[in-house]
mmCIF file of all heavy atoms in Angstrom:
data_model
loop_
_atom_site.group_PDB
_atom_site.id
_atom_site.type_symbol
_atom_site.label_atom_id
_atom_site.label_comp_id
_atom_site.label_asym_id
_atom_site.label_seq_id
_atom_site.Cartn_x
_atom_site.Cartn_y
_atom_site.Cartn_z
ATOM 1 N N GLU A 238 13.194 146.853 23.191
ATOM 2 C CA GLU A 238 12.210 147.873 22.834
ATOM 3 C C GLU A 238 12.766 148.756 21.735
ATOM 4 O O GLU A 238 13.792 149.369 21.944
ATOM 5 C CB GLU A 238 11.950 148.774 24.048
ATOM 6 C CG GLU A 238 10.982 148.217 25.038
ATOM 7 C CD GLU A 238 9.551 148.422 24.578
ATOM 8 O OE1 GLU A 238 9.318 149.227 23.663
ATOM 9 O OE2 GLU A 238 8.683 147.763 25.147
ATOM 10 N N PRO A 239 12.131 148.805 20.591
ATOM 11 C CA PRO A 239 12.671 149.713 19.582
ATOM 12 C C PRO A 239 12.557 151.138 20.097
ATOM 13 O O PRO A 239 11.549 151.481 20.702
ATOM 14 C CB PRO A 239 11.763 149.498 18.379
ATOM 15 C CG PRO A 239 10.536 148.865 18.900
ATOM 16 C CD PRO A 239 10.876 148.177 20.169
ATOM 17 N N PRO A 240 13.600 151.947 19.914
ATOM 18 C CA PRO A 240 13.516 153.322 20.417
ATOM 19 C C PRO A 240 12.397 154.079 19.701
ATOM 20 O O PRO A 240 12.098 153.773 18.563
ATOM 21 C CB PRO A 240 14.879 153.921 20.082
ATOM 22 C CG PRO A 240 15.428 153.056 19.016
ATOM 23 C CD PRO A 240 14.843 151.693 19.193
ATOM 24 N N LYS A 241 11.812 155.012 20.402
ATOM 25 C CA LYS A 241 10.743 155.802 19.782
ATOM 26 C C LYS A 241 11.340 156.534 18.611
ATOM 27 O O LYS A 241 12.407 157.143 18.726
ATOM 28 C CB LYS A 241 10.236 156.830 20.788
ATOM 29 C CG LYS A 241 8.946 156.435 21.450
ATOM 30 C CD LYS A 241 8.291 157.662 22.034
ATOM 31 C CE LYS A 241 7.421 157.223 23.197
ATOM 32 N NZ LYS A 241 6.660 158.286 23.785
ATOM 33 N N LYS A 242 10.596 156.570 17.523
ATOM 34 C CA LYS A 242 11.098 157.270 16.351
ATOM 35 C C LYS A 242 11.145 158.759 16.651
ATOM 36 O O LYS A 242 10.247 159.298 17.271
ATOM 37 C CB LYS A 242 10.170 157.011 15.174
ATOM 38 C CG LYS A 242 10.214 155.569 14.724
ATOM 39 C CD LYS A 242 9.901 155.494 13.260
ATOM 40 C CE LYS A 242 8.951 154.372 12.989
ATOM 41 N NZ LYS A 242 9.384 153.183 12.477
ATOM 42 N N GLU A 243 12.209 159.401 16.134
ATOM 43 C CA GLU A 243 12.321 160.844 16.370
ATOM 44 C C GLU A 243 11.742 161.638 15.243
ATOM 45 O O GLU A 243 11.590 162.836 15.325
ATOM 46 C CB GLU A 243 13.779 161.199 16.590
ATOM 47 C CG GLU A 243 14.222 160.579 17.883
ATOM 48 C CD GLU A 243 15.637 160.922 18.256
ATOM 49 O OE1 GLU A 243 16.351 161.469 17.410
ATOM 50 O OE2 GLU A 243 15.991 160.617 19.392
ATOM 51 N N GLN A 244 11.524 160.960 14.152
ATOM 52 C CA GLN A 244 10.764 161.596 13.101
ATOM 53 C C GLN A 244 10.046 160.493 12.355
ATOM 54 O O GLN A 244 10.449 159.342 12.399
ATOM 55 C CB GLN A 244 11.663 162.417 12.176
ATOM 56 C CG GLN A 244 12.532 161.577 11.286
ATOM 57 C CD GLN A 244 13.258 162.403 10.246
ATOM 58 O OE1 GLN A 244 13.460 163.596 10.431
ATOM 59 N NE2 GLN A 244 13.641 161.787 9.173
ATOM 60 N N LEU A 245 8.961 160.861 11.716
ATOM 61 C CA LEU A 245 8.151 159.861 11.039
ATOM 62 C C LEU A 245 7.979 160.295 9.606
ATOM 63 O O LEU A 245 7.536 161.406 9.347
ATOM 64 C CB LEU A 245 6.771 159.807 11.691
ATOM 65 C CG LEU A 245 6.473 158.559 12.471
ATOM 66 C CD1 LEU A 245 5.253 158.781 13.311
ATOM 67 C CD2 LEU A 245 6.226 157.403 11.515
ATOM 68 N N ILE A 246 8.304 159.394 8.692
ATOM 69 C CA ILE A 246 8.143 159.733 7.283
ATOM 70 C C ILE A 246 7.101 158.811 6.678
ATOM 71 O O ILE A 246 7.167 157.603 6.861
ATOM 72 C CB ILE A 246 9.468 159.534 6.517
ATOM 73 C CG1 ILE A 246 10.570 160.347 7.176
ATOM 74 C CG2 ILE A 246 9.302 159.933 5.054
ATOM 75 C CD1 ILE A 246 11.915 160.206 6.501
ATOM 76 N N CYS A 247 6.140 159.356 5.972
ATOM 77 C CA CYS A 247 5.172 158.518 5.266
ATOM 78 C C CYS A 247 5.111 158.986 3.835
ATOM 79 O O CYS A 247 4.785 160.140 3.570
ATOM 80 C CB CYS A 247 3.775 158.667 5.857
ATOM 81 S SG CYS A 247 3.660 157.948 7.473
ATOM 82 N N GLY A 272 0.462 158.348 9.191
ATOM 83 C CA GLY A 272 1.490 158.880 10.082
ATOM 84 C C GLY A 272 0.910 159.275 11.418
ATOM 85 O O GLY A 272 1.495 159.010 12.471
ATOM 86 N N SER A 275 0.457 156.340 13.552
ATOM 87 C CA SER A 275 1.711 155.881 14.162
ATOM 88 C C SER A 275 2.120 156.801 15.301
ATOM 89 O O SER A 275 2.620 156.349 16.323
ATOM 90 C CB SER A 275 2.836 155.858 13.134
ATOM 91 O OG SER A 275 2.515 154.987 12.091
ATOM 92 N N LEU A 276 1.892 158.090 15.117
ATOM 93 C CA LEU A 276 2.221 159.038 16.186
ATOM 94 C C LEU A 276 1.442 158.681 17.445
ATOM 95 O O LEU A 276 2.004 158.604 18.536
ATOM 96 C CB LEU A 276 1.843 160.468 15.772
ATOM 97 C CG LEU A 276 2.769 161.205 14.821
ATOM 98 C CD1 LEU A 276 2.188 162.571 14.485
ATOM 99 C CD2 LEU A 276 4.155 161.379 15.435
ATOM 100 N N GLN A 279 2.697 155.576 19.219
ATOM 101 C CA GLN A 279 3.901 155.698 20.033
ATOM 102 C C GLN A 279 3.781 156.860 21.003
ATOM 103 O O GLN A 279 4.753 157.287 21.615
ATOM 104 C CB GLN A 279 5.165 155.830 19.171
ATOM 105 C CG GLN A 279 5.333 157.118 18.413
ATOM 106 C CD GLN A 279 6.743 157.241 17.826
ATOM 107 O OE1 GLN A 279 7.260 156.308 17.217
ATOM 108 N NE2 GLN A 279 7.359 158.393 17.993
ATOM 109 N N GLU A 280 2.552 157.372 21.123
ATOM 110 C CA GLU A 280 2.247 158.421 22.110
ATOM 111 C C GLU A 280 3.124 159.645 21.923
ATOM 112 O O GLU A 280 3.712 160.166 22.866
ATOM 113 C CB GLU A 280 2.334 157.846 23.531
ATOM 114 C CG GLU A 280 1.170 156.894 23.759
ATOM 115 C CD GLU A 280 1.192 156.177 25.087
ATOM 116 O OE1 GLU A 280 2.046 156.497 25.922
ATOM 117 O OE2 GLU A 280 0.340 155.298 25.261
ATOM 118 N N SER A 281 3.221 160.085 20.698
ATOM 119 C CA SER A 281 3.953 161.313 20.380
ATOM 120 C C SER A 281 3.032 162.266 19.629
ATOM 121 O O SER A 281 2.021 161.857 19.065
ATOM 122 C CB SER A 281 5.118 161.025 19.428
ATOM 123 O OG SER A 281 6.032 160.151 19.976
ATOM 124 N N ARG A 282 3.422 163.517 19.647
ATOM 125 C CA ARG A 282 2.725 164.505 18.823
ATOM 126 C C ARG A 282 3.765 165.264 18.037
ATOM 127 O O ARG A 282 4.901 165.425 18.481
ATOM 128 C CB ARG A 282 1.948 165.485 19.707
ATOM 129 C CG ARG A 282 0.727 164.841 20.311
ATOM 130 C CD ARG A 282 -0.074 165.797 21.121
ATOM 131 N NE ARG A 282 -1.210 165.116 21.707
ATOM 132 C CZ ARG A 282 -1.961 165.607 22.672
ATOM 133 N NH1 ARG A 282 -1.659 166.795 23.176
ATOM 134 N NH2 ARG A 282 -2.975 164.939 23.145
ATOM 135 N N ALA A 283 3.385 165.788 16.892
ATOM 136 C CA ALA A 283 4.362 166.441 16.017
ATOM 137 C C ALA A 283 4.275 167.947 16.152
ATOM 138 O O ALA A 283 3.188 168.517 16.146
ATOM 139 C CB ALA A 283 4.116 166.037 14.577
ATOM 140 N N GLY A 284 5.438 168.572 16.238
ATOM 141 C CA GLY A 284 5.482 170.026 16.285
ATOM 142 C C GLY A 284 5.541 170.618 14.888
ATOM 143 O O GLY A 284 5.108 171.738 14.640
ATOM 144 N N ARG A 285 6.093 169.823 13.952
ATOM 145 C CA ARG A 285 6.185 170.296 12.579
ATOM 146 C C ARG A 285 5.837 169.182 11.628
ATOM 147 O O ARG A 285 6.098 168.016 11.886
ATOM 148 C CB ARG A 285 7.625 170.700 12.259
ATOM 149 C CG ARG A 285 8.016 172.049 12.762
ATOM 150 C CD ARG A 285 9.473 172.320 12.371
ATOM 151 N NE ARG A 285 10.022 173.312 13.256
ATOM 152 C CZ ARG A 285 10.412 174.533 12.864
ATOM 153 N NH1 ARG A 285 10.325 174.862 11.593
ATOM 154 N NH2 ARG A 285 10.891 175.390 13.743
ATOM 155 N N MET A 286 5.296 169.584 10.479
ATOM 156 C CA MET A 286 5.026 168.596 9.438
ATOM 157 C C MET A 286 5.480 169.180 8.099
ATOM 158 O O MET A 286 5.016 170.234 7.691
ATOM 159 C CB MET A 286 3.525 168.294 9.366
ATOM 160 C CG MET A 286 3.162 167.386 8.214
ATOM 161 S SD MET A 286 1.398 166.986 8.157
ATOM 162 C CE MET A 286 0.704 168.560 7.755
ATOM 163 N N ARG A 287 6.394 168.457 7.449
ATOM 164 C CA ARG A 287 6.846 168.925 6.137
ATOM 165 C C ARG A 287 6.099 168.120 5.081
ATOM 166 O O ARG A 287 6.004 166.898 5.164
ATOM 167 C CB ARG A 287 8.352 168.725 6.003
ATOM 168 C CG ARG A 287 8.910 169.234 4.675
ATOM 169 C CD ARG A 287 10.415 169.423 4.776
ATOM 170 N NE ARG A 287 11.110 168.155 4.682
ATOM 171 C CZ ARG A 287 11.570 167.638 3.546
ATOM 172 N NH1 ARG A 287 11.397 168.279 2.424
ATOM 173 N NH2 ARG A 287 12.180 166.470 3.557
ATOM 174 N N PRO A 313 2.330 170.849 19.691
ATOM 175 C CA PRO A 313 2.417 169.563 18.990
ATOM 176 C C PRO A 313 1.044 168.907 18.830
ATOM 177 O O PRO A 313 0.212 168.978 19.729
ATOM 178 C CB PRO A 313 3.317 168.731 19.906
ATOM 179 C CG PRO A 313 4.128 169.713 20.648
ATOM 180 C CD PRO A 313 3.281 170.919 20.831
ATOM 181 N N VAL A 314 0.821 168.324 17.668
ATOM 182 C CA VAL A 314 -0.494 167.790 17.307
ATOM 183 C C VAL A 314 -0.402 166.320 16.975
ATOM 184 O O VAL A 314 0.611 165.868 16.448
ATOM 185 C CB VAL A 314 -1.001 168.476 16.007
ATOM 186 C CG1 VAL A 314 -2.484 168.317 15.872
ATOM 187 C CG2 VAL A 314 -0.601 169.909 15.966
ATOM 188 N N VAL A 343 4.887 163.013 3.624
ATOM 189 C CA VAL A 343 4.972 163.939 4.752
ATOM 190 C C VAL A 343 6.030 163.445 5.724
ATOM 191 O O VAL A 343 6.280 162.244 5.820
ATOM 192 C CB VAL A 343 3.621 164.052 5.509
ATOM 193 C CG1 VAL A 343 2.603 164.753 4.663
ATOM 194 C CG2 VAL A 343 3.119 162.693 5.923
ATOM 195 N N VAL A 344 6.655 164.410 6.398
ATOM 196 C CA VAL A 344 7.619 164.065 7.435
ATOM 197 C C VAL A 344 7.178 164.773 8.706
ATOM 198 O O VAL A 344 7.005 165.994 8.699
ATOM 199 C CB VAL A 344 9.039 164.556 7.108
ATOM 200 C CG1 VAL A 344 10.026 164.020 8.118
ATOM 201 C CG2 VAL A 344 9.438 164.171 5.710
ATOM 202 N N PHE A 345 7.000 164.035 9.768
ATOM 203 C CA PHE A 345 6.640 164.631 11.058
ATOM 204 C C PHE A 345 7.905 164.783 11.888
ATOM 205 O O PHE A 345 8.642 163.816 12.084
ATOM 206 C CB PHE A 345 5.663 163.743 11.821
ATOM 207 C CG PHE A 345 4.354 163.553 11.120
ATOM 208 C CD1 PHE A 345 4.092 162.389 10.421
ATOM 209 C CD2 PHE A 345 3.397 164.549 11.151
ATOM 210 C CE1 PHE A 345 2.888 162.215 9.759
ATOM 211 C CE2 PHE A 345 2.186 164.382 10.500
ATOM 212 C CZ PHE A 345 1.927 163.217 9.797
ATOM 213 N N THR A 346 8.179 165.997 12.347
ATOM 214 C CA THR A 346 9.382 166.196 13.162
ATOM 215 C C THR A 346 9.007 166.959 14.435
ATOM 216 O O THR A 346 7.863 167.334 14.619
ATOM 217 C CB THR A 346 10.450 166.996 12.404
ATOM 218 O OG1 THR A 346 9.843 168.188 11.896
ATOM 219 C CG2 THR A 346 11.025 166.205 11.267
ATOM 220 N N GLU A 347 10.033 167.212 15.247
ATOM 221 C CA GLU A 347 9.828 167.852 16.553
ATOM 222 C C GLU A 347 8.750 167.105 17.321
ATOM 223 O O GLU A 347 7.756 167.673 17.755
ATOM 224 C CB GLU A 347 9.418 169.321 16.376
ATOM 225 C CG GLU A 347 10.624 170.174 16.055
ATOM 226 C CD GLU A 347 10.319 171.671 16.088
ATOM 227 O OE1 GLU A 347 9.268 172.073 16.649
ATOM 228 O OE2 GLU A 347 11.133 172.409 15.526
ATOM 229 N N LEU A 348 9.026 165.804 17.464
ATOM 230 C CA LEU A 348 8.048 164.970 18.151
ATOM 231 C C LEU A 348 8.154 165.176 19.648
ATOM 232 O O LEU A 348 9.240 165.211 20.213
ATOM 233 C CB LEU A 348 8.276 163.499 17.820
ATOM 234 C CG LEU A 348 8.218 163.137 16.332
ATOM 235 C CD1 LEU A 348 8.192 161.625 16.165
ATOM 236 C CD2 LEU A 348 7.016 163.746 15.661
ATOM 237 N N ALA A 349 7.005 165.314 20.287
ATOM 238 C CA ALA A 349 6.992 165.487 21.737
ATOM 239 C C ALA A 349 6.146 164.387 22.347
ATOM 240 O O ALA A 349 5.194 163.906 21.740
ATOM 241 C CB ALA A 349 6.407 166.854 22.077
ATOM 242 N N ASP A 350 6.522 163.981 23.520
ATOM 243 C CA ASP A 350 5.773 162.974 24.262
ATOM 244 C C ASP A 350 4.383 163.473 24.620
ATOM 245 O O ASP A 350 4.262 164.513 25.253
ATOM 246 C CB ASP A 350 6.528 162.711 25.579
ATOM 247 C CG ASP A 350 6.900 161.269 25.682
ATOM 248 O OD1 ASP A 350 6.513 160.485 24.801
ATOM 249 O OD2 ASP A 350 7.581 160.914 26.659
#
Side-chain angles (χ1 to χ4, degrees):
Chain A
E238 278 280 345
K241 259 199 206 184
K242 292 209 224 258
E243 293 183 349
Q244 72 172 23
L245 249 166
I246 304 179
C247 290
S275 300
L276 282 177
Q279 70 169 47
E280 290 176 7
S281 299
R282 287 183 182 166
R285 280 180 203 245
M286 174 178 68
R287 182 162 78 93
V314 199
V343 291
V344 187
F345 297 101
T346 52
E347 282 189 16
L348 302 191
D350 238 356

